[in-house]
Every structure is written in structure tokens, then in C-alpha cells.
């Protein structure tokens, strides 16, 4: 459960940071200074939160290794491989699910914009 939460947190923060950076890049030279300042502050906060989340993931990795070592003492090799595969795939699948959800959201937003422009 913790792994899902940390992976979702990382994906959420990196997605939000990317959107803020895109918004910053799309601001024209005549954009109000307040908008630029607000976006830069948001970018700074999100970058700091992302670094904290990465540290949390590293901590989770160390905890996963400790749990894996304990599990290895009690499971036969075949079941241990299944457990290790499960942990790796769960993380990858959570990331893939989040990516697909983001693509769907983006597609829906593009579709809405196209409908409004017609």
C-alpha cells in the first residue's frame, strides 16, 4: 500500500511540476509579473516536494530490501521469486496506470477545446 502511495505521489508531483513549467514557458513577454512570480513560486515548492518524495521512495526501497530479506528466510525460492516479481510489477503497473489516466485526461481536455473551437 505504501508503495502505491509513494509512486502515485511521485507521478502526481512530477506531472504538476511539468504543467507549471509548461505554463511558465507559455507566458508571453507581456504577461503580468505577478503571474510569473506565482508560477515560479509554485515551481519551487513542487520541486522541493518532489525531492522529498524521492527521498521517501529511497526510504521505501531500503524498507523493501529489509522486508525482502525477512521474507527470503521464510519462503522457498520459487515463492520468493513470485514475491519479488509482484513487488516490481506492482510499481510498474501503478506508474503505467497513472500515465494512462493522464493521457485520457489530456485527450478529454483536447476534445473539449476542439468542441469549443467549432
Amino acid at each position: 500500500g505504501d508503495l502505491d502511495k509513494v509512486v502515485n505521489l511521485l507521478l502526481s508531483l512530477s506531472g504538476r511540476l511539468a504543467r507549471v513549467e509548461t505554463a511558465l514557458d507559455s507566458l508571453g513577454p507581456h504577461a503580468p509579473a505577478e503571474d510569473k512570480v506565482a508560477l515560479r513560486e509554485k515551481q519551487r515548492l513542487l520541486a522541493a516536494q518532489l525531492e522529498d518524495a524521492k527521498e521517501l521512495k529511497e526510504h521505501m526501497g531500503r524498507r523493501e530490501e529489509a522486508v525482502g530479506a525477512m521474507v527470503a528466510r521464510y519462503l522457498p525460492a520459487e515463492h520468493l521469486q513470485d514475491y519479488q516479481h509482484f513487488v516490481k510489477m506492482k510499481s510498474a503497473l501503478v506508474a503505467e496506470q497513472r500515465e494512462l489516466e493522464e493521457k485520457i485526461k489530456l485527450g478529454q481536455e483536447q476534445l473539449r477545446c476542439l468542441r469549443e473551437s467549432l
Side-chain angles (χ1 to χ4, degrees), residues 43-107:
Q43 180 186 32
R44 186 187 66 75
L45 290 172
L46 286 169
Q49 289 176 339
L50 185 59
E51 284 306 311
D52 290 344
K54 287 178 182 178
E55 288 177 21
L56 186 59
K57 184 162 185 336
E58 288 174 10
H59 174 73
M60 289 289 304
R62 290 188 298 274
R63 199 170 95 186
E64 180 184 330
E65 287 176 17
V67 169
M70 275 196 313
V71 168
R73 285 187 262 160
Y74 297 104
L75 290 180
E78 178 184 311
H79 291 130
L80 180 61
Q81 287 177 344
D82 290 343
Y83 167 78
Q84 291 167 337
H85 179 73
F86 170 77
V87 171
K88 286 178 185 174
M89 288 307 297
K90 183 152 178 81
S91 181
L93 289 173
V94 167
E96 187 176 336
Q97 178 185 6
R98 182 66 180 230
E99 184 180 329
L100 290 172
E101 288 170 354
E102 289 292 322
K103 286 181 181 179
I104 289 169
K105 203 182 292 184
L106 177 64

